[in-house]
Amino acid sequence: MEITNKFSFHGELSVPGDKSISHRGIMFGAISHGLTEITNFLQGADCLSTISCFQKLGITIENQGSTVLVHGKGLHGLSAPSQILNVGNSGTTARLISGILAGQTFESTLDGDASIRRRPMKRIFTPLLQMGADFQCWGKDSFPVSFVPADTGCAPFTVHGGHLNGLHYQSPVASAQVKSAVLLAGLYAENETTVTEPMLSRNHTELMLAGFGAELCTYGNTASIKPEPRLEGQKIHVPGDISSAAYFIALGLITPHSELLIQNVGINPTRNGILQVALSMGGNVTLVNQRTVSGEPVADILVKSSALHGVTVEGELIPTLIDEIPVIAVLAAFAEGTTIIRDAQELKVKESDRIAVVTENLKAMGGSATPTEDGMVIEGCHPLHGARIHTYQDHRIAMSFTIAGLNAKGETTLDDTNCVTISYPSFFEDILSLKDKEI
Ligand code: S3P
């Protein structure tokens, strides 16, 4: 597709199902009794990796398209995999499944793509080792022959599950993946397990696992779980992913003469920081038809072109928009004044180093962006021009810079567009469906 600034965008769309909720539906369904039916399941590559891993663990999963049926076997129904569990590009699969595997009596080996092999796993090994599981990382050079100790901290690694004890874990990072891994291991522990995080990260595990029958309670940034509940299969309707809606919020705001209605979007407060930032930048964003679906708050989001100004994004807001920072940086490039993003050092260990990659690509387009230790500083309103964008095979970089390119003078090309299949396979078709008049 030609990425230039010739068009305005109008109309309605529904973005695909939420990635975090789709993953959890498969995982929690697999360890529950009976059938779990998931509708509006995200058919993105990451969630397909989760399906494939649980199939290798002996779970029958029927993927019928937007509906997925999981024939759960209960907490102790998984069987030893005969092959390596390949998580592909998915950090969520790698980290959450490790919590479940830590409680099994068999051992399993996990691997993934080049990005996964660079991402830190020590953050889950530390609490799970304390609970009684064991991990061995495979040495990079000697792969697949010898093992090195777990403190290498990367995939591929082998999980030796076993007898677990409850733990009160003070997590050094606000990470839903770490929190979820510990809570899932807690299902198999001898006594109660508690996780406290420095700031509240997304709470889909707490909401959904309680819906399956887990004895889970939360207070502030702490969640506790009791072991050995009987989990029962559920019907889950997955709301649209606010992380995917974020590209269209940005498109509607920065493209002149545009108006978009994004339907059925999950607006869970632990995920909706993008809405708060868009509003505080002066964006014309309205929530309509607010309701609750499968325990999650949902709304339609109406967005109109707006004059934006720079803001500071920091502190407790960061975990609520961590995946949206690349597209917030694009918004900032079109806003009057300075935007400062801080407390976001986690960006360095996402699918790519998003501090380096976002600032590099904004600069390539003529923007003013300075990387910092824990974020970036962007001076807005430097007119952007088309450029060749290096995505580093990171889906969120490809989508964010498509939005930038649609508002830049001249043509923008992405060195890889395939990576959008990770979370949003129909991204380019959906953009084209909203293309309106030449402006
Ligand atoms: C996710 C948690 C976040 C997020 C990721 C999905 C989840 O990662 O960036 O895309 O589903 O739990 P961290 O837990 O590393 O912050």
Side-chain angles (χ1 to χ4, degrees), residues 204-225:
H204 304 301
T205 293
E206 296 91 304
L207 294 177
M208 197 192 287
L209 208 45
F212 276 82
E215 282 187 70
L216 202 147
C217 61
T218 58
Y219 29 100
N221 300 346
T222 296
S224 291
I225 195 161

Side-chain angles (χ1 to χ4, degrees), residues 246 249-254 274 277-278 281 308-310 324-336 339 362 378 380-381 403-404:
I249 295 174
L251 183 69
L253 288 176
I254 65 178
I274 176 69
V277 168
M281 294 180 97
L308 302 178
H309 54 81
E324 288 67 75
I325 291 178
V327 80
I328 288 173
V330 170
L331 282 178
F334 289 89
E336 185 82 43
T339 293
L362 275 180
I378 295 159
C381 289
I403 303 304

Side-chain angles (χ1 to χ4, degrees), residues 18-24 46 90-93 95-96 119-120 123 173-180 197 201-205 241 243 271 318-319 321-324 346-347 349-351 354 395-396:
D18 187 276
K19 182 156 79 68
S20 294
I21 296 177
S22 296
H23 279 301
R24 286 161 171 79
D46 272 10
S90 176
T92 308
T93 312
R95 298 196 178 111
L96 269 63
R119 296 185 69 185
R123 55 180 56 198
V173 279
S175 160
Q177 294 178 356
V178 172
K179 170 174 64 179
S180 303
E197 42 183 359
S201 65
R202 65 192 65 194
N203 65 358
H204 304 301
T205 293
D241 196 327
S243 299
R271 292 286 299 284
I318 295 293
L321 47 65
I322 189 72
D323 293 339
E324 288 67 75
E346 277 293 298
L347 292 177
V349 291
K350 294 295 178 186
E351 286 83 329
R354 289 182 178 159
H395 54 135
R396 304 217 184 273

Side-chain angles (χ1 to χ4, degrees), residues 102-181:
Q104 308 303 317
T105 50
F106 52 79
E107 60 175 55
S108 351
T109 296
L110 261 84
D111 199 1
D113 68 7
S115 156
I116 274 291
R117 285 183 170 199
R118 286 190 300 266
R119 296 185 69 185
M121 294 297 156
K122 200 174 168 187
R123 55 180 56 198
I124 54 160
F125 297 159
T126 301
L128 298 175
L129 281 163
Q130 284 175 37
M131 292 177 82
D134 200 8
F135 293 86
Q136 284 174 307
C137 294
W138 294 50
K140 278 196 182 70
D141 300 331
S142 48
F143 178 76
V145 184
S146 67
F147 289 112
V148 292
D151 57 55
T152 324
C154 287
F157 60 87
T158 297
V159 189
H160 304 269
H163 180 88
L164 302 182
N165 291 307
L167 176 71
H168 186 165
Y169 188 58
Q170 299 272 354
S171 177
V173 279
S175 160
Q177 294 178 356
V178 172
K179 170 174 64 179
S180 303

